[in-house]
Amino acid sequence: MYQVFSDKCTGQLSAATTFLNTAGCFARIFTTLQEVDDNLILTSYVLAGIANVGLTVMFLVYPKEAATKKTN
């Protein structure tokens, strides 16, 4: 995430994979809430979900490729 933020570009990251990872993470959170009473597992999925949402937002904010810089 830091690399994407510092480059202001998503580079070779796949938008489809990132969106599917985010959706899968929310599915795991839902399943954990319904089936398991374990706060440690739920916490790890919530933290992963936050990171995935951050990457997903970066796809909406930053272009796929950075603007080319002028070279001398």
Side-chain angles (χ1 to χ4, degrees):
M1 285 179 66
Y2 175 76
Q3 188 70 41
V4 172
F5 179 74
S6 64
D7 290 345
K8 306 285 190 245
C9 168
T10 56
Q12 293 183 352
L13 290 177
S14 169
T17 302
T18 302
F19 294 137
L20 290 171
N21 280 338
T22 302
C25 193
F26 284 116
R28 285 189 293 278
I29 290 170
F30 176 77
T31 303
T32 302
L33 287 171
Q34 297 298 315
E35 301 290 331
V36 182
D37 188 26
D38 189 350
N39 287 333
L40 182 61
I41 293 173
L42 181 61
T43 302
S44 67
Y45 289 151
V46 168
L47 291 174
I50 291 169
N52 282 324
V53 166
L55 281 174
T56 302
V57 168
M58 287 183 177
F59 270 101
L60 301 174
V61 173
Y62 298 129
K64 182 70 176 164
E65 295 181 17
T68 57
K69 296 180 181 179
K70 290 184 179 181
T71 57
N72 293 332

